[in-house]
Amino acid sequence: MDNVLLAFFSDFMQRFLEAVLPVLFTAITGLVIAWITKVVNQIKSNINDDAEWVIQQAVTAAVLAAEQQGLVNDVMDKKSYAVDVATEWLAQKGIKIDLDRLSVLIEAAVMQEFNRGKVTE
């Protein structure tokens, strides 16, 4: 009897997780994208148009440079590299930006770059 109950519970949990995990993953992904969008918009609202353009160019160049660097697909190494490249480039232009804000902008650029052309349901 215990084996039957255990088999039932195991089957039930497997079916439950198969139904719930995709929905949960989609919801969490949506929340992360919404949070990043909110933070990026807050950052942009505190920057003048010229500086915003320069920062965006630095972020885009840094993301592409990190991807070209081929850092063995280690996400944190690529992100650190991109932050370093963008920070150095902005410093040469005399623009100072908080590293946490720069990090969020880089994450947003990565999401935008790798989701370009994808259709959402």
Side-chain angles (χ1 to χ4, degrees):
M1 185 68 174
D2 287 337
N3 287 340
V4 172
L5 186 60
L6 184 59
F8 171 77
F9 182 71
S10 176
D11 187 49
F12 172 78
M13 287 305 295
Q14 180 177 353
R15 290 175 190 260
F16 177 78
L17 290 174
E18 286 173 354
V20 171
L21 286 179
V23 173
L24 185 61
F25 179 75
T26 301
I28 290 172
T29 301
L31 289 173
V32 168
I33 290 171
W35 176 77
I36 288 175
T37 302
K38 179 183 173 191
V39 171
V40 167
N41 289 336
Q42 287 175 342
I43 292 169
K44 285 182 178 181
S45 70
N46 294 330
I47 301 172
N48 69 38
D49 289 341
D50 291 337
E52 180 181 340
W53 184 84
V54 171
I55 291 169
Q56 192 58 46
Q57 294 305 310
V59 166
T60 301
V63 167
L64 294 175
E67 196 59 33
Q68 291 292 320
Q69 195 65 21
L71 298 171
V72 194
N73 293 327
D74 188 352
V75 174
M76 292 311 292
D77 284 345
K78 286 181 180 181
K79 184 176 177 184
S80 295
Y81 182 80
V83 168
D84 291 344
V85 167
T87 303
E88 182 178 331
W89 196 78
L90 290 170
Q92 290 174 358
K93 302 293 181 194
I95 297 174
K96 295 180 182 179
I97 186 170
D98 180 62
L99 289 181
D100 290 334
R101 290 182 178 188
L102 183 61
S103 179
V104 170
L105 289 172
I106 286 172
E107 288 177 19
V110 168
M111 288 182 68
Q112 180 180 3
E113 183 65 31
F114 293 105
N115 290 313
R116 185 181 314 270
K118 291 185 180 177
V119 177
T120 57
E121 296 179 7

